[in-house]
Amino acid sequence: MQKSASIYDLSFEELSALLETWEEPEYRVSQIWEGLYRHLWNTYEEFTSLPKTLRQKLEENYSHDKTGIDAQPSFISLQPIMKQESSDGETVKTLFSISGGHSVEAVLMRYAKRRTLCISTQAGCAMGCIFCATGQMGFQRQLTSGEIIEQVLHYARQLSNENEQVTNIVLMGMGEPFHNYEATMAAIHRLNDPKGYNLGARRFTISTVGLVPGIRRFTSEHSQINLAISLHAADDILRSQLLPINRKYPLEQLYSACLEYIQVTHRRLSFEWALIQGVNDTPEQADLLAQRLRIFRMGGSTLCHVNVIPLNPTQKYSGQTSTHQRALAFQSVLEQSGIPCTIRLRRGIDIQAGCGQLAGQNIRA
Ligand code: SAH
Ligand code: SF4
């Protein structure tokens, strides 16, 4: 029987309250927590230090029956249904089925010593950005905090078999993290917990399409988690065409929320820019962007950074990737104005693993 409750949805306090109702001593909470997040155990059988009765209770309440090759019952609810590796083997994309008949993807990118995961926060997305495969699918459902965490633990286990570990996590997979604010933050805090998985807050990057109330709420939390804003256009007319949410939160509001973030946190903000040939890679767009971003220069330093990434073409959008030459020209306009700009590579392009346009192609395939 497939159970809906996931043990990964529980915070430490919730697990603690649960064990209290089961009349278990308090130290069992840490034992279970460490088992889940340090040893990465996912079957109740692995918890050999727990009494059999408690293991049975955990099994009854939190085990999910598995189908397919790995038919052992486990705490994991996400079922990997497809895996693709890039030709150089450095990028791995896994498609997971989740309850409700949906699926989400998570990608592992190996680069030098970094082991970066790109994970999803929603199945589909309600924001409808026209160039994004996830946006083209529409909204399906929110992921729970446990489902967000499970994507990480899946790769953490795989890497730990190779004596490696996850070094960075970007929330740039399917979905808009600030449209699923509580679950996203709960997942990050749980993974950040020193008693458990213990991945530093600075190792996480949340990418948002620019939901202004979400940015303000995030600012008020004074967190060390990195923030990236998907900008993609320097004027409201173009931005509203590409990212419909811009009609609700136009650039002036967005920049003011960004400025407040920088003033409050003194942290550098990233702006994401998918270069689309002839659309947003023009010298006019670069000039306007450079002008606007001047507000983020404070006390001799520029507290923002622009990441340009060549567009990954998608089925339902006719825009094309900019040439490298145009990307270089765009970058040079920004840099001449003192705005740092990096041209990012599209890793795992041969497996369509560009973050933000994850599952679309595969779901349709
Ligand atoms: N919803 C969030 C995070 C997921 S999208 C956001 O929009 O920021 C992650 C990043 O991938 C965003 O910067 C998004 O604009 C970008 N992206 C989406 N589709 C893309 C595509 N086809 N090519 C390049 N980047 C894309
Ligand atoms: Fe959603 Fe981000 Fe895609 Fe826009 S770019 S549709 S916000 S996932």
Side-chain angles (χ1 to χ4, degrees):
M1 190 185 67
Q2 175 85 20
K3 300 191 181 78
S4 55
S6 164
I7 200 158
Y8 300 107
D9 279 331
L10 301 179
S11 65
F12 188 87
E13 292 70 29
E14 285 163 343
L15 182 66
S16 184
L18 175 77
L19 289 202
E20 210 178 310
T21 63
W22 289 355
E23 295 176 359
E24 292 289 342
E26 217 182 305
Y27 65 89
R28 296 281 181 223
V29 186
S30 302
Q31 276 183 317
I32 297 177
W33 200 253
E34 282 173 18
L36 292 172
Y37 294 109
R38 284 220 177 143
H39 306 300
L40 307 175
W41 294 334
N42 56 40
T43 63
Y44 61 94
E45 284 158 346
E46 287 167 292
F47 288 77
T48 46
S49 55
L50 300 181
K52 205 165 168 225
T53 47
L54 179 54
R55 269 189 281 160
Q56 270 166 355
K57 268 193 189 150
L58 289 173
E59 193 219 339
E60 276 159 27
N61 288 277
Y62 293 107
S63 267
H64 295 267
D65 282 349
K66 288 232 181 157
T67 49
I69 355 164
D70 186 12
Q72 231 185 358
S74 92
F75 294 138
I76 303 288
S77 67
L78 262 60
Q79 306 257 10
I81 49 175
M82 203 200 307
K83 184 175 144 182
Q84 278 182 291
E85 268 184 44
S86 60
S87 44
D88 61 8
E90 299 296 283
T91 306
V92 185
K93 177 174 66 168
T94 306
L95 182 69
F96 300 95
S97 79
I98 57 169
S99 67
H102 306 296
S103 47
V104 291
E105 290 193 22
V107 182
L108 163 66
M109 290 163 283
R110 294 185 169 92
Y111 180 67
K113 287 193 174 156
R114 282 188 177 217
R115 300 291 175 263
T116 304
L117 298 186
C118 175
I119 59 169
S120 300
T121 54
Q122 299 178 316
C125 182
M127 300 299 136
C129 306
I130 62 170
F131 52 82
C132 169
T134 311
Q136 292 160 10
M137 291 163 52
F139 179 72
Q140 296 176 345
R141 79 161 169 84
Q142 303 285 19
L143 297 192
T144 66
S145 58
E147 287 168 330
I148 300 172
I149 288 173
E150 282 192 36
Q151 297 168 57
V152 174
L153 298 184
H154 171 86
Y155 284 111
R157 265 178 228 116
Q158 210 167 295
L159 287 171
S160 106
N161 292 339
E162 301 160 28
N163 280 327
E164 290 191 346
Q165 53 197 26
V166 176
T167 61
N168 299 79
I169 296 181
V170 296
L171 290 96
M172 295 190 184
M174 294 171 73
E176 166 51 41
F178 284 167
H179 185 216
N180 189 12
Y181 195 95
E182 276 86 10
T184 297
M185 296 309 278
I188 296 177
H189 288 141
R190 216 164 295 152
L191 291 165
N192 173 231
D193 181 357
K195 299 190 291 295
Y197 193 65
N198 196 20
L199 188 67
R202 287 164 193 259
R203 306 299 188 101
F204 292 85
T205 302
I206 294 181
S207 176
T208 176
V209 69
L211 295 186
V212 167
I215 298 171
R216 293 200 193 280
R217 185 169 171 189
F218 182 74
T219 301
S220 71
E221 293 187 16
H222 295 265
S223 141
Q224 294 194 320
I225 300 163
N226 301 299
L227 185 61
I229 310 285
S230 298
L231 204 53
H232 306 306
D235 66 82
D236 277 321
I237 294 174
L238 180 59
R239 195 164 189 271
S240 295
Q241 276 167 16
L242 299 173
L243 289 69
I245 196 69
N246 189 72
R247 291 177 207 139
K248 192 161 182 195
Y249 303 114
L251 282 167
E252 203 184 304
Q253 282 186 40
L254 179 58
Y255 283 136
S256 117
C258 291
L259 193 60
E260 188 186 308
Y261 168 82
I262 287 173
Q263 284 164 342
V264 170
T265 64
H266 305 290
R267 294 184 63 78
R268 190 179 300 262
L269 190 57
S270 299
F271 290 106
E272 307 293 311
W273 195 283
L275 280 174
I276 313 168
Q277 176 92 5
V279 175
N280 65 357
D281 67 349
T282 59
E284 293 76 25
Q285 282 287 309
D287 276 334
L288 187 56
L289 179 65
Q291 269 177 44
R292 294 286 186 271
L293 297 190
R294 278 195 199 127
I295 53 167
F296 302 116
R297 283 162 63 174
M298 276 165 224
S301 53
T302 307
L303 286 174
C304 75
H305 188 109
V306 177
N307 289 315
V308 295
I309 176 167
L311 179 84
N312 251 327
T314 51
Q315 279 179 6
K316 292 188 183 161
Y317 178 61
S318 59
Q320 292 302 313
T321 311
S322 300
T323 58
H324 191 59
Q325 222 176 358
R326 288 180 75 106
L328 287 172
F330 191 91
Q331 180 188 38
S332 114
V333 172
L334 290 175
E335 297 218 308
Q336 275 165 22
S337 300
I339 310 289
C341 174
T342 309
I343 302 175
R344 300 275 171 203
L345 296 174
R346 284 181 295 160
R347 301 207 170 278
I349 184 71
D350 52 337
I351 59 164
Q352 296 140 3
C355 287
Q357 61 142 52
L358 295 171
Q361 277 119 339
N362 280 312
I363 285 168
R364 278 196 297 273

